[in-house]
């Protein structure tokens, strides 16, 4: 998953980032409400972890602005304020969950997994395209029953492609979702990772399932559908 943490306490933010990175998630951090609101409205995240007491804009304002922009990104409040009225207001503004500090990282991980599976798009932890199986919970990829060992970025790249089967995803979109928003747009990291994933998936003469559409981007689909593009 790609996650946004909006937290002005640098120690808490770093702890969250380290913990989420260790679970193979891509994490970006905003240290005030204004930046958090901008990033939440401008970029594609699987979930947002949002503090309430923030400089420039508080968490309620950030949540409202993200929802008003049309983003349905799951939002989990993480606050030292345990006032029941505030929790109600946060949920009314569109928050999906509310955790009170201090908290256990395992609880946050579980809450994030729960909210990212909620409607309108309940997400299955197991994705499949042709004979490729990707398990997001166990971080496992198999093809034809053979285990494929991918790096974290390769896994995240393949996961995002498989979640959008049949859709051509631009290089810029892949950079935004799989990497961080400050990634160098002129580097060849997307191309290099696509080559590596293809090489690993296609070992043993398996047909290629990752298509390259010149001038448009990349798409995962069955060989039959790729042949029509």
């Amino acid at each position: 998953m790609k996650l946004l943490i909006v937290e002005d306490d640098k120690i808490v933010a770093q702890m969250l980032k380290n913990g989420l990175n260790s679970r193979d998630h891509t994490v970006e951090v905003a240290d005030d409400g204004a930046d958090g609101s901008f990033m939440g409205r401008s970029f594609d995240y699987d979930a947002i972890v949002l503090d309430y007491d923030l400089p420039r804009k508080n968490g309620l304002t950030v949540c409202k602005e993200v929802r008003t922009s049309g983003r349905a990104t799951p939002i989990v409040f993480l606050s030292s304020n345990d006032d029941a009225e505030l929790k109600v207001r946060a949920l009314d503004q569109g928050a999906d969950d509310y955790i009170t500090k201090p908290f256990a990282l395992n609880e946050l991980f579980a809450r994030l997994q729960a909210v990212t599976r909620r409607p309108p798009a309940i997400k299955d932890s197991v994705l499949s395209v042709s004979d490729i199986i990707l398990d997001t919970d166990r971080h496992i990829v198999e093809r034809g029953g053979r285990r494929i060992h991918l790096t974290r970025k390769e896994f995240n790249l393949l996961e995002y492609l498989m979640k959008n089967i049949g859709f051509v995803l631009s290089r810029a979109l892949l950079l935004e979702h799989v990497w961080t928003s400050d990634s160098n747009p002129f580097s060849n990291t997307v191309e290099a990772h696509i080559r590596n994933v293809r090489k690993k998936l296609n070992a043993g003469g398996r047909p290629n399932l990752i298509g390259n559409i010149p001038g448009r981007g990349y798409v995962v689909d069955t060989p039959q559908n790729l042949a029509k593009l």
Side-chain angles (χ1 to χ4, degrees):
M1 290 192 294
K2 183 176 180 181
L3 305 169
L4 172 63
I5 298 170
V6 188
E7 170 63 68
D8 63 320
D9 186 320
K10 296 186 184 302
I11 294 176
V12 174
Q14 191 61 51
M15 178 193 67
L16 289 172
K17 184 174 183 179
N18 291 343
L20 292 165
N21 279 338
S22 72
R23 302 259 177 147
D24 297 312
H25 301 309
T26 299
V27 180
E28 294 187 337
V29 176
D31 59 10
D32 66 59
D35 286 347
S37 175
F38 172 78
M39 294 171 71
R41 289 179 285 115
S42 303
F43 302 111
D44 189 13
Y45 298 100
D46 291 296
I48 298 172
V49 179
L50 178 62
D51 190 14
Y52 172 70
D53 294 307
L54 293 164
R56 301 173 71 189
K57 291 181 179 180
N58 66 35
L60 286 178
T61 300
V62 174
C63 184
K64 181 179 181 179
E65 290 180 351
V66 170
R67 290 291 180 254
T68 301
S69 73
R71 293 277 183 178
T73 311
I75 296 175
V76 176
F77 266 81
L78 190 62
S79 175
S80 57
N81 193 325
D82 63 354
D83 180 68
E85 181 60 30
L86 176 59
K87 294 179 182 179
V88 171
R89 291 171 62 197
L91 295 171
D92 285 344
Q93 290 291 353
D96 295 86
D97 206 344
Y98 193 110
I99 302 176
T100 303
K101 299 176 183 177
F103 62 95
L105 275 175
N106 283 341
E107 179 186 4
L108 176 61
F109 297 146
R111 299 283 190 101
L112 285 171
Q113 286 184 325
V115 298
T116 55
R117 289 183 182 139
R118 288 179 184 171
I122 297 176
K123 300 179 182 178
D124 197 335
S125 64
V126 178
L127 307 173
S128 64
V129 178
S130 188
D131 59 348
I132 297 177
I133 303 295
L134 185 147
D135 189 322
T136 60
D137 284 347
R138 296 191 297 156
H139 202 77
I140 289 174
V141 177
E142 294 181 347
R143 183 165 196 188
R146 178 176 64 89
R147 183 72 61 85
I148 309 292
H149 297 284
L150 301 179
T151 67
R152 186 181 75 185
K153 285 298 183 191
E154 290 168 354
F155 184 93
N156 292 343
L157 175 60
L158 180 61
E159 177 186 359
Y160 189 53
L161 286 166
M162 290 179 67
K163 283 181 176 178
N164 293 277
I165 180 173
F167 290 94
V168 180
L169 304 177
S170 69
R171 182 179 178 279
L173 186 60
L174 292 173
L175 268 176
E176 175 188 324
H177 190 89
V178 180
W179 283 265
T180 56
S181 58
D182 59 356
S183 298
N184 181 1
F186 302 106
S187 72
N188 67 342
T189 188
V190 173
E191 292 79 2
H193 280 77
I194 289 286
R195 285 196 301 269
N196 290 341
V197 172
R198 275 184 179 146
K199 182 177 179 180
K200 293 177 180 181
L201 292 178
N202 299 351
R206 296 278 180 174
N208 179 47
L209 301 182
I210 303 178
N212 179 14
I213 313 302
R216 295 176 60 196
Y218 299 93
V219 56
V220 160
D221 213 327
T222 63
Q224 296 82 359
N225 288 337
L226 289 180
K228 300 174 185 177
L229 297 176

